[in-house]
Amino acid sequence: MTYGYIRVSSDRQTVENQRFEINHFCQNQDIRIDDWIEETISGTKSYTKRQLGSLLKKVRKGDIIICSELSRLGRNLFMIMEILNVCMTRECRVWTVKDGYRLGDDIQSKVLAFAFGLSAEIERNLISQRTREALARRKAEGARLGRPKGHKSAPDRYKLSGKEDYIRKSLEKGMSRRTIAKRCKVDKNTLARFIEMKGL
């Protein structure tokens, strides 16, 4: 399968330029696009929360993803590296029109895949280290870490505390629990538990 991937950051941008570039490239290479993936979303958004993430889950060995340039995959180096590493692992090829990249199963691509994977792992380790250091510093400064006491035991009480009279009067007027929950900005199940707990 050959996929054409197009991404624009906002509704004000058009996908037609990228589609034209990819189609023109495919005509010169005698390639046919089997499926198009188009999305309007920021490249800073994690690829797992984009249509690209769904595409990467279904690609198979020998498939090709064609995009106009690498920046269409993501807006930072490490995200692009991670995406390309996933493609290399699944033995899917990535071709770009403007950049002229042909990442596949040759030795150069495997070296790149190793570098991408190593860079991503280093970045994850650095983030983890920075998090541990920040937590240690906060603890040394006397800050309490973790959830506040009582958070798990009585979440409903804190969310609806002080709204007993409003809930009671609303119920007396015949207002539905769904409407009351919506106005109190809580889930209807949270409201139901609170009503039962308070005997409203």
Side-chain angles (χ1 to χ4, degrees):
M1 290 280 286
T2 301
Y3 299 93
Y5 178 72
I6 296 173
R7 182 188 63 78
V8 292
S9 300
S10 71
D11 293 327
R12 292 189 299 273
Q13 295 176 308
T14 176
V15 300
E16 294 309 314
N17 287 343
Q18 292 179 48
R19 181 185 283 273
F20 174 80
E21 289 169 353
I22 293 171
N23 273 326
H24 182 69
F25 170 81
C26 289
Q27 286 172 3
N28 291 336
Q29 299 289 325
D30 197 24
I31 297 172
R32 181 175 61 86
I33 297 292
D34 298 305
D35 193 13
W36 289 94
I37 292 85
E38 298 179 9
E39 54 186 346
T40 303
I41 192 169
S42 170
T44 57
K45 192 86 170 177
S46 172
Y47 72 90
T48 58
K49 297 178 181 177
R50 293 191 263 143
Q51 290 183 49
L52 179 60
S54 300
L55 172 61
L56 294 180
K57 287 180 181 178
K58 70 179 183 181
V59 290
R60 298 287 182 266
K61 180 178 180 179
D63 286 352
I64 304 173
I65 298 174
I66 301 177
C67 55
S68 63
E69 53 191 324
L70 278 182
S71 64
R72 296 300 93 202
L73 300 177
R75 291 300 298 274
N76 66 70
L77 178 61
F78 288 110
M79 184 188 295
I80 293 172
M81 283 181 167
E82 188 175 350
I83 291 167
L84 293 178
N85 188 46
V86 170
C87 292
M88 299 302 132
T89 302
R90 299 181 72 86
E91 298 184 64
C92 162
R93 290 171 285 173
V94 177
W95 293 0
T96 64
V97 177
K98 290 182 180 178
D99 308 319
Y101 290 117
R102 301 289 182 273
L103 302 174
D105 55 2
D106 56 16
I107 188 65
Q108 288 180 328
S109 297
K110 289 176 181 177
V111 170
L112 278 174
F114 173 76
F116 295 153
L118 180 61
S119 299
E121 184 178 349
I122 291 171
E123 175 66 6
R124 285 194 296 270
N125 289 338
L126 288 173
I127 291 171
S128 176
Q129 182 181 342
R130 287 196 297 268
T131 302
R132 287 196 303 269
E133 289 173 353
L135 290 173
R137 186 176 65 252
R138 288 190 62 203
K139 189 174 182 181
E141 292 170 353
R144 274 189 156 180
L145 305 179
R147 288 176 178 267
K149 286 187 178 179
H151 183 83
K152 286 186 177 180
S153 61
D156 303 340
R157 190 186 312 161
Y158 293 120
K159 288 179 182 176
L160 294 169
S161 178
K163 297 181 181 178
E164 291 87 349
D165 287 342
Y166 171 76
I167 294 170
R168 185 182 295 107
K169 289 176 182 177
S170 298
L171 289 170
E172 289 171 356
K173 289 178 182 177
M175 189 182 293
S176 71
R177 290 188 175 189
R178 183 183 295 274
T179 301
I180 297 171
K182 190 173 181 180
R183 291 185 178 180
C184 291
K185 297 180 181 179
V186 297
D187 184 79
K188 62 180 182 178
N189 294 324
T190 298
L191 175 65
R193 288 193 297 270
F194 187 78
I195 289 172
E196 185 178 345
M197 181 178 67
K198 291 292 185 178
L200 303 174

